[in-house]
Amino acid sequence: LKKSRFLGNMDCGTRYGLIGDSSLYTKRNNNKKKSYISSVLREKYRFVNLTERIFPGGGVLDLQAYLQDGPEFDVLGVSYFGNEHTKGRMDVKIQRDLWKDVFRLLSRKVRSRVVFFVGGYAEKYTFGKVYDDNLNIVKRWIRDAGFQVVEARQEVSRWQLAADKLHFAVDCLPELAAFWSQLLKPRKFVRPGKLQTAKRKSEADAAQMEPKRARKDPRDKWLLPAPQNRRDFQQRPVNWSDLNSDSSDDWTKGQERAARLERDKKKLNDELAMRRTMMLKARGLLPAEPKKEPRHVPPRRL
């Protein structure tokens, strides 16, 4: 019974993918041992059907080659930190064509959703400004192609680097796994250290579950009630005998009421416009009126 309940909580049907560069694993300071984010996702967050592929030091060419011959996914996460854009300005034409092919392959190979994590920035890795410029161009291409791109600048600035100053330290592995779990299966994300605040907010949200009464718009008094069913209103037969009855008086009264409301509305708008003009004139915000020259009247000849 326990085993079946445990398997019931797993997402066994959805095919998840996690591909990218070396930002998908962490390193220890005293050795080169790697700790993978995918391992925590499988063990702690129950991503049973998860396929991972890492290209250490790789870039868009590796993404293109893998997507060309790789499997299909329902949800795919791509971690891209721009290893090929750290030293010089990119060749925009070549890179644009490569990314267009990647987007075409993603549209064909991924069934539901693709999310990119492009979290690198120059200050974090002590690169030049050209690194930020290149990644900004790539992020714009991703958004224009219709895919989700996440920067997570606040989280990346908090995650420490290992001794090589290139890879995330192993101490960040739990937060990195929680972060990727949120990206692959979106839900309400609670930042570390704010669990109590989130609990209080959830209790307050539960207390406000009752729907609030809509606030009445003061402009509604100027609107006449519209027919509820447009088709019935248009196809309603005309009873010509009613034209000589009291209904014609009701129709006339309705027309007079509508005309009176229009007059009141116009009067109110004119008054508001006059007050606004007076206020702007008092503050000196209106242009000065041109001076009118006195009209020259020629003398009459006797």
Side-chain angles (χ1 to χ4, degrees), residues 85-111:
H85 301 311
T86 60
K87 296 182 179 180
R89 192 169 301 277
M90 70 163 70
D91 189 325
V92 175
K93 185 179 183 303
I94 295 177
Q95 289 290 320
R96 184 192 292 116
D97 293 339
L98 290 174
W99 279 103
K100 281 184 179 180
D101 193 46
V102 169
F103 298 148
R104 179 183 59 82
L105 292 170
L106 288 174
S107 301
R108 193 179 68 186
K109 288 295 188 74
V110 183
R111 179 180 178 184

Side-chain angles (χ1 to χ4, degrees), residues 263-289:
R263 289 194 301 270
D264 294 342
K265 180 180 178 181
K266 185 177 183 304
K267 182 179 178 182
L268 179 60
N269 290 337
D270 293 342
E271 184 180 352
L272 292 175
M274 183 180 65
R275 290 184 180 180
R276 180 175 178 274
T277 303
M278 293 176 60
M279 180 186 67
L280 294 176
K281 188 175 181 180
R283 296 184 178 182
L285 300 178
L286 289 179
E289 297 181 357

Side-chain angles (χ1 to χ4, degrees), residues 225-238 251:
Q228 296 296 325
N229 194 328
R230 185 180 181 89
R231 182 178 299 175
D232 296 342
F233 177 77
Q234 293 178 347
Q235 298 178 355
R236 185 174 57 187
V238 179
W251 183 85

Side-chain angles (χ1 to χ4, degrees), residues 10-30:
M10 294 183 180
D11 195 353
C12 299
T14 305
R15 296 167 300 176
Y16 292 98
L18 188 61
I19 63 176
D21 49 32
S22 57
S23 58
L24 290 177
Y25 59 78
T26 62
K27 278 189 174 182
R28 301 181 184 274
N29 290 327
N30 55 354

Side-chain angles (χ1 to χ4, degrees), residues 22-69:
S22 57
S23 58
L24 290 177
Y25 59 78
T26 62
K27 278 189 174 182
R28 301 181 184 274
N29 290 327
N30 55 354
N31 55 39
K32 297 182 179 180
K33 183 179 180 181
K34 303 173 183 177
S35 299
Y36 294 88
I37 296 174
S38 59
S39 300
V40 184
L41 290 176
R42 294 189 183 97
E43 296 172 3
K44 183 176 180 179
Y45 296 97
R46 302 176 184 177
F47 282 84
V48 179
N49 196 1
L50 175 65
T51 301
E52 177 199 41
R53 183 63 184 271
I54 299 178
F55 321 106
V60 63
L61 287 173
D62 299 278
L63 294 177
Q64 182 188 38
Y66 177 76
L67 293 172
Q68 187 73 39
D69 302 324

